[in-house]
Amino acid sequence: MASTQLPFSLFFKPLGSQCNLDCRYCYYWNKHDATHQAHIDHKLLDRAIEQHIAAQPVSDRPIDFIWHGGEPLLAGLAFYQSVVERQSHFISTLPHKPLVKNTIQTNGSLISQQWAKFFADHHFMVGISIDGPEHIHDLCRVDKKGNSTFSRTLRGIDHLRRNGVEFNTLSVINNQNYHCGQEIYQFLKQNGSGYMQFQPCLDHELDQRDERNWSLTGEQWGAFLCAVFDQWCANDVGKVYVQFFENCLMILMGYPSQMCHHSAECGQQLAIEKDGAIYSCDHYVYPDYQLGKLGEDVSEDASLQSLANSQTQRRFGADKQKTLSQQCRQCDFLPLCQGGCPKYRLVPHHGDEQHNALCAGYQRFFYHALPTLIPMVTAMKNGYSAEYYSLFR
C-alpha cells in the first residue's frame, strides 16, 4: 500500500441504478445488476462506513458521505436513520472525533415533511436535480410512465425550505435547453437556489440509451455559460453561487480547483455500488475501472484505504494530466480548465490524442468572462467582496 494516505470522497450507491424516474439522458440507467438485491446489506454498509472513516487522514476537513443513485431516497428513511447511527458509533471509537458531512443527490419527488425534518435534524446537504421551469424540466425528467415530475420536485423543494434544510440545485444542460440560460438561472433563483451546479450533457457511447443524442456541442455549452454569467453579474455576485464561476475565482486566487472536472488530477471521488464493488469514479462505473470489492476479502489489501491509495487508482488520477492533448498543453486557459473531464475527451486530435468535446465552449466563456473575473479577484485580494469588482476595472 502507498505510504501517503490520500483524502477522498465516496459516492455511495445504496440501490445502484434503481430510480422512480426515467430521465432520457441518464448516464447510469444501464448499470448491470448481477445481484438483484434491493440495496446494500447492513454488514457491508457497516464495513463501508467504518472503512471510509478510517481511511481518511486526520485533518479538520469533514469526511464526505455522498448518497447517490439512481434515486437514493428509495432506500427509505429507516435506512438513513441507521446510517447516521452507524456513523456516530464508529466516530465515537476514534480519539480525534472527525466531522462527517452527508450529502444526498435526489430528484426531490419523494421528499416529504418527514424526510425534510430528518435532513434538518442531521444537517444533510441536499442536492436537487431540476432542469428549470416545467417546460424545460419535463423535456427529459419524466417518470416511468412518461408523466411530468415537475410539481413533485417543486413540492420537495418547498418541504426543504419550510424546514430550513440547506440545498443546492443541479441542472443538466443539453442540446435542447442550452439556449435557455437566462430563463433557467432566473427560475432557480426565484425558487430558492443559492448554489447552482450546471452539468453539461455528453452522451458517451457506453451510456447512450437509444438513437436520440442529447449531447451539447462546445459552442452550445459556451453560449449557455455566457448567458448565465451575464445574469449572475447583473445583480447576484456575492448573493448567488454558481459552482463553475466560483471555482474559476478560487483558481485565479491561487487555490486548487474544487471541481474534479477542472483539477489537474482525478481520483478523489470514488464510487461504491450496492454489492460492495469499488470504482475509480462515479462516471467510470465500468468493469475496467473496478478497483476491488469490499465484501470479497477482509484482508488489508482489500480495504477501502488500500484501494483508494493503490497504484491503480493513483495511475487513474495521474493519467488525466498525462493524456492532455498538445492543444491543451499550449492553451493559456489550461490552469482554469485542465482539459476538462477525461470522459469528455471524445474528439480525435493529432495521432492518438483525444481532445475535450467542450473545448470551444470553455474558450468562449473564458474570453467572455475573464475581463470581469479578474477585477473580482482584485477586489477580493484587496479585502472586498467580489461584488465590488467595478471599482477595480
Side-chain angles (χ1 to χ4, degrees):
M1 185 172 64
S3 58
T4 304
Q5 199 169 336
L6 300 175
F8 62 93
S9 298
L10 188 60
F11 282 71
F12 283 76
K13 305 279 190 175
L15 300 120
S17 61
Q18 294 178 51
C19 190
N20 61 324
L21 267 60
D22 193 24
C23 299
R24 291 169 176 149
Y25 48 51
C26 180
Y27 69 92
Y28 220 76
W29 69 279
N30 64 347
K31 301 307 176 189
H32 178 63
D33 181 10
T35 65
H36 302 293
Q37 64 193 67
H39 55 70
I40 188 170
D41 70 55
H42 291 300
K43 288 184 179 179
L44 183 55
L45 180 65
D46 267 351
R47 186 178 301 164
I49 290 174
E50 182 176 20
Q51 290 195 19
H52 184 44
I53 292 172
Q56 303 301 322
V58 176
S59 75
D60 294 332
R61 291 179 55 179
I63 298 171
D64 289 319
F65 284 81
I66 304 169
W67 304 95
H68 222 266
E71 174 47 58
L73 267 60
L74 288 173
L77 187 56
F79 175 85
Y80 291 101
Q81 289 169 335
S82 70
V83 162
V84 171
E85 291 170 1
R86 286 171 163 82
Q87 290 171 339
S88 297
H89 168 72
F90 291 127
I91 287 172
S92 70
T93 66
L94 300 176
H96 57 286
K97 304 295 184 292
L99 296 173
V100 162
K101 177 184 176 184
N102 283 294
T103 299
I104 193 162
Q105 187 66 40
T106 171
N107 59 54
S109 66
L110 301 176
I111 296 175
S112 62
Q113 165 62 23
Q114 192 176 8
W115 273 109
K117 185 177 186 306
F118 170 80
F119 293 145
D121 289 345
H122 297 284
H123 310 290
F124 271 59
M125 164 63 79
V126 180
I128 297 289
S129 297
I130 182 169
D131 284 355
E134 186 169 9
H135 68 100
I136 295 174
H137 180 83
D138 287 342
L139 282 171
C140 296
R141 303 191 62 81
V142 294
D143 66 17
K144 299 293 187 182
K145 296 181 178 179
N147 296 323
S148 169
T149 64
F150 178 75
S151 61
R152 284 172 273 178
T153 299
L154 277 194
R155 181 187 61 201
I157 290 175
D158 186 56
H159 282 304
L160 296 179
R161 294 175 69 178
R162 289 175 181 273
N163 284 270
V165 178
E166 187 177 1
F167 73 94
N168 58 45
T169 55
L170 186 150
S171 305
V172 177
I173 308 307
N174 56 71
N175 59 26
Q176 296 298 300
N177 68 3
Y178 76 91
H179 59 286
C180 303
Q182 176 178 342
E183 186 178 5
I184 292 170
Y185 176 83
Q186 292 298 336
F187 169 83
L188 295 174
K189 186 174 80 166
Q190 290 162 11
N191 282 275
S193 178
Y195 190 95
M196 304 175 190
Q197 301 174 69
F198 297 110
Q199 177 74 32
C201 180
L202 283 176
D203 276 343
H204 194 279
E205 62 181 0
L206 295 174
D207 304 325
Q208 192 171 341
R209 307 181 57 142
D210 51 41
E211 67 280 356
R212 177 65 183 271
N213 192 305
W214 298 87
S215 297
L216 287 164
T217 65
E219 291 78 7
Q220 289 169 344
W221 179 230
F224 174 83
L225 289 175
C226 291
V228 173
F229 185 77
D230 291 344
Q231 288 293 300
W232 179 67
C233 287
N235 296 297
D236 298 328
V237 179
K239 302 169 188 172
V240 173
Y241 295 88
V242 178
Q243 184 190 41
F244 179 59
F245 304 161
E246 299 296 329
N247 198 61
C248 289
L249 285 172
M250 291 299 100
I251 293 171
L252 291 169
M253 288 282 289
Y255 296 100
S257 171
Q258 297 302 299
M259 295 177 66
C260 63
H261 284 205
H262 305 296
S263 296
E265 292 194 355
C266 294
Q268 286 79 52
Q269 296 197 19
L270 285 72
I272 178 170
E273 268 284 1
K274 63 181 178 180
D275 62 352
I278 307 293
Y279 294 88
S280 291
C281 174
D282 172 50
H283 285 268
Y284 282 86
V285 181
Y286 308 115
D288 289 348
Y289 296 92
Q290 183 177 327
L291 298 171
K293 212 169 189 180
L294 284 193
E296 290 181 342
D297 191 342
V298 294
S299 70
E300 184 178 346
D301 289 340
S303 72
L304 182 55
Q305 179 174 330
S306 67
L307 296 174
N309 289 273
S310 66
Q311 288 303 313
T312 300
Q313 182 63 1
R314 289 171 184 256
R315 192 160 46 246
F316 172 82
D319 279 349
K320 178 178 182 181
Q321 192 69 208
K322 290 180 180 178
T323 57
L324 279 173
S325 69
Q326 285 303 309
Q327 183 175 337
C328 282
R329 294 179 191 278
Q330 297 166 6
C331 180
D332 292 337
F333 302 132
L334 179 61
L336 290 164
C337 176
Q338 298 295 349
C341 178
K343 194 172 180 181
Y344 296 163
R345 294 176 185 173
L346 303 172
V347 179
H349 202 51
H350 300 299
D352 295 331
E353 291 184 349
Q354 295 289 111
H355 193 61
N356 194 296
L358 300 176
C359 175
Y362 284 121
Q363 292 216 19
R364 175 176 174 178
F365 172 76
F366 293 135
Y367 278 117
H368 179 79
L370 278 172
T372 304
L373 289 173
I374 290 173
M376 288 182 184
V377 170
T378 304
M380 294 163 69
K381 287 182 175 180
N382 280 278
Y384 295 88
S385 167
E387 64 187 294
Y388 295 103
Y389 68 92
S390 60
L391 299 174
F392 298 91
R393 278 188 178 276

